Amino acid sequence: MELNGARVLVAGATGEIGSGLARDLHRRDARVAVAGRDRARLARVARECGAAPAFGFDAYRPDGCAAAVRAAARLWGGLDAVAVCVGVTAFGAAAEVDDAVAEHLLSVNALAPMALLRAAVPLVGRGGALAAVTGVVVDRPVPRMADYSAAKSALAAWLDALRRELRAAGVRVVDVRLPHVATAFADRAVTGSPPRLPPGLPPSDAIRTVAEALAHKEGVVRHTSPAPAAGAAR
Ligand SMILES: NC(=O)c1ccc[n+]([C@@H]2O[C@H](COP(=O)([O-])OP(=O)(O)OC[C@H]3O[C@@H](n4cnc5c(N)ncnc54)[C@H](OP(=O)(O)O)[C@@H]3O)[C@@H](O)[C@H]2O)c1
C-alpha cells in the first residue's frame, strides 16, 4: 500500500508509539485521523499531524470504539488502514492479580482492539490493512505478566483468524509483535511494579516497524535488528 495519500486511522494515538506512528504517517503524506482517550494528548497529536480529525473513545465502551472508526471512515468515504496501538499492563503473580485487574487488561488489550478492527472490516477495501500491536509476550508469556500475556495472546489469535477470513477480500491483517520498547508503558501499569528490564528498543525503531508493517506486511511481524555491517566487530 502506498502510504502517500492513504486514509489511515491510528487508534491509541495518545500513547508514545501511537502518537509517533501518527506523526510518522503524517510526514509520509498519509491522510491521518487519530483516536484516543486522553483529550489533551489527542488534541496535541491532532495538531502535530496538521489538524488531523480526532475521535475520542474509551476501551471500556465497545460501541464508542466502533463509533470512532465509523466517524473517521465517514469523513473520507472509507479507510485504507487502521492501526491499533492501545494497551495497558499489570505486574504481579498470577494467583494474586485481582479479577477486576484481569478484566481491565482483557478489555483494553483484547476486546477494545477487536471492537475497533471489527468495525473497520466493512470500511477498508481491497489493498487495505488492519494492524494491531501485540508483543513478544505472545511468543513467550512472561511470569508476573500472565494476564497481559494472555490478553495479547487472545488478540493475536483473533487477528490470525481475521487474516484468513479477509484473505479473499485482499485486506492484509497484521500482528506487530514488538519486543520491550523504551517508553514509559511499564510505569503506567494498573498494578504492580516492573522488574528490572533490559534497555528497550528505541521508540523510533518500533514506530518504523509498525509503519512498514502497515504499508507492506501481512501476518505476524517481529522487529528485526539490522544486520551488522560487513567487517563490524561482533
Ligand atoms: N512499550 C513496550 O515495551 C511495548 C512492548 C510491546 C508492545 N507494546 C504495545 O504497544 C502499544 C503502545 O504502547 P506504548 O509503549 O506506546 O504505551 P503508552 O504510551 O502507555 O500507550 C498506551 C495507549 O493505550 C491507550 N489506552 C490505555 N488504556 C485505555 C483505555 N481504557 N481506553 C482507551 N485507550 C487506552 C492509551 O490511551 P490514553 O493515553 O489516551 O489513556 C495510549 O494511547 C500497546 O498496545 C502496548 O501493549 C508496548
Side-chain angles (χ1 to χ4, degrees):
M1 181 177 70
E2 193 56 62
L3 286 175
N4 185 335
R7 304 161 298 177
V8 187
L9 173 66
V10 179
T14 45
E16 294 186 58
I17 293 172
S19 63
L21 177 67
R23 289 188 294 268
D24 182 86
L25 295 171
H26 174 62
R27 277 194 297 274
R28 297 179 197 222
D29 290 326
R31 284 181 280 173
V32 177
V34 291
R37 175 176 57 164
D38 184 278
R39 284 166 184 251
R41 282 200 296 276
L42 187 62
R44 189 185 324 137
V45 69
R47 271 196 308 279
E48 291 166 347
C49 295
F55 306 94
F57 73 92
D58 191 293
Y60 262 92
R61 296 278 313 276
D63 53 338
C65 294
V69 175
R70 292 190 192 117
R74 259 197 310 277
L75 276 178
W76 294 317
L79 290 167
D80 298 305
V82 176
V84 179
C85 304
V86 175
V88 73
T89 192
F91 299 100
E96 286 160 22
V97 166
D98 201 89
D99 285 336
V101 169
E103 185 186 351
H104 184 79
L105 262 56
L106 264 175
S107 297
V108 176
N109 294 294
L111 297 177
M114 292 177 202
L116 289 156
L117 294 175
R118 195 188 332 273
V121 168
L123 305 170
V124 171
R126 185 166 288 279
L130 300 175
V133 179
T134 63
V136 291
V137 295
V138 173
D139 297 322
R140 194 182 160 100
V142 177
R144 300 185 67 79
M145 295 177 75
D147 293 84
Y148 176 71
S149 302
K152 287 293 194 187
S153 299
L155 175 58
W158 189 86
L159 291 169
D160 190 30
L162 182 69
R163 178 178 56 80
R164 285 183 272 158
E165 285 181 23
L166 296 187
R167 190 175 285 152
V171 175
R172 289 177 296 111
V173 176
V174 197
D175 166 352
V176 191
R177 273 184 209 173
L178 291 178
H180 171 52
V181 183
T183 68
F185 179 69
D187 302 324
R188 285 188 277 273
V190 282
T191 185
S193 320
R196 279 171 61 90
L197 293 163
L201 185 70
S204 55
D205 288 7
I207 289 160
R208 195 167 44 249
T209 295
V210 181
E212 283 165 12
L214 195 64
H216 310 296
K217 307 260 172 80
E218 183 169 27
V220 177
V221 172
R222 296 176 179 83
H223 175 81
T224 45
S225 302
R234 283 165 210 269

